[in-house]
């Protein structure tokens, strides 16, 4: 563990860090309000590809956590920017939901169903065998494969359910192709968020509850990292998660009130 160094911006995870589903984690509203009052720059950074930035902000606001769409970075937005910069106006076949669709269109990309240059895939709860067959055909014909996020499981009202990474596993197996991964633990999403803040990754601090996604992505991008024991990682499984991730966070905070004090007294 190292001593906290105030940086120029914070990249804050959502599920498991600020809330569980529809339930706000104690201190989440206080944390964000304190950052606003002290003019500490931050972005909400999520692997969730299904919601638009407006939808994410609405979800936060309904739980009493101040948020606007301009403060939200999703894996869909980062994926769309990645493709748009590599091939402006590209023809893209989409396997995903509304958040991904809007992100692609806003980036000036063309959503097609024939001869795509890219297949971009996120969570798709209408995924079928035909979807799989079509995606595999496009990729084997030469389309570039981009995955918004590799999460194998997602929390839901009925427990854990398959995520975008689980769907991708079938595509990768059949197409014999690996995608470009945008979301955590890859560094693309972190770079997108720091670009939005106008800083370099080395000038940012990543805050999250998941060693293998949030903290790993922050480390891969060269950010300072703060692990909060509010979600997936707890005091009980901390060492097991550190071992599984193969790295350590720079700072550990047990709860959000401790994090708020750390960030606002060292700013």
């Amino acid at each position: 563990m190292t001593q906290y160094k105030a940086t120029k911006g914070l990249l804050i995870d959502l599920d498991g860090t600020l809330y569980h589903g529809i339930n706000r984690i104690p201190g989440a509203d206080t944390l964000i309000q304190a950052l606003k009052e002290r003019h500490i720059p931050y972005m909400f950074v999520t692997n969730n590809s299904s919601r638009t930035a407006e939808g994410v902000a609405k979800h936060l606001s309904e739980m009493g956590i101040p948020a606007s769409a301009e403060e939200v970075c999703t894996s869909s937005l980062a994926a769309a920017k990645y493709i748009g910069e590599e091939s402006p106006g590209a023809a893209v076949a989409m396997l995903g939901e509304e958040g991904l669709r809007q992100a692609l269109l806003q980036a000036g990309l063309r959503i097609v169903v024939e001869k795509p240059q890219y297949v971009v895939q996120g969570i798709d709860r209408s995924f079928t065998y035909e979807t799989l067959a079509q995606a595999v055909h496009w990729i084997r014909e030469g389309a570039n494969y981009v995955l918004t996020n590799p999460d194998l499981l997602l929390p839901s009202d009925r427990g854990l359910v398959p995520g975008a990474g689980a769907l991708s596993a079938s595509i990768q197996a059949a197409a014999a192709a690996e995608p470009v991964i945008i979301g955590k633990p890859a560094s693309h999403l972190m770079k997108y968020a720091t670009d939005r803040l106008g800083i370099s990754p080395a000038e940012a601090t990543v805050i999250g509850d998941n060693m293998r996604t949030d903290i790993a992505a922050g480390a891969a991008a060269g950010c300072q990292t703060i692990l909060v024991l509010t979600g997936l990682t707890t005091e009980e499984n901390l060492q097991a998660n550190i071992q599984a991730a193969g790295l350590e966070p720079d700072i550990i905070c047990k709860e959000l009130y401790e994090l708020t004090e750390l960030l606002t007294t060292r700013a």
Side-chain angles (χ1 to χ4, degrees), residues 12 18 27-37 42 44 65-67 71 260:
I12 306 171
L18 298 184
D29 52 343
T30 303
L31 168 65
I32 301 305
Q33 191 59 48
L35 297 180
K36 285 185 175 295
E37 290 172 358
Y42 64 88
F44 299 114
I65 301 171
E71 298 166 336
T260 302

Side-chain angles (χ1 to χ4, degrees), residues 209-212 227-245:
D209 70 299
N210 191 325
M211 281 297 306
R212 283 182 274 189
L227 176 71
V228 288
L229 306 182
T230 53
L232 186 68
T233 307
T234 64
E235 287 189 81
E236 290 72 27
N237 66 26
L238 173 60
Q239 291 307 316
N241 274 291
I242 286 175
Q243 185 174 1

Side-chain angles (χ1 to χ4, degrees), residues 227-230 235 252-256 258:
L227 176 71
V228 288
L229 306 182
T230 53
E235 287 189 81
I252 297 175
C253 290
K254 291 183 180 179
E255 37 83 31
L256 295 183
E258 179 185 349

Side-chain angles (χ1 to χ4, degrees), residues 38 51 61 68 75 77 90 154 161 174 181 194 196 216 221 230 245 259:
R38 288 161 179 80
R51 284 190 175 125
S61 298
S68 67
S75 61
L77 289 169
L154 299 175
V161 296
I181 298 173
T194 53
R196 290 270 300 272
T230 53
L259 175 65

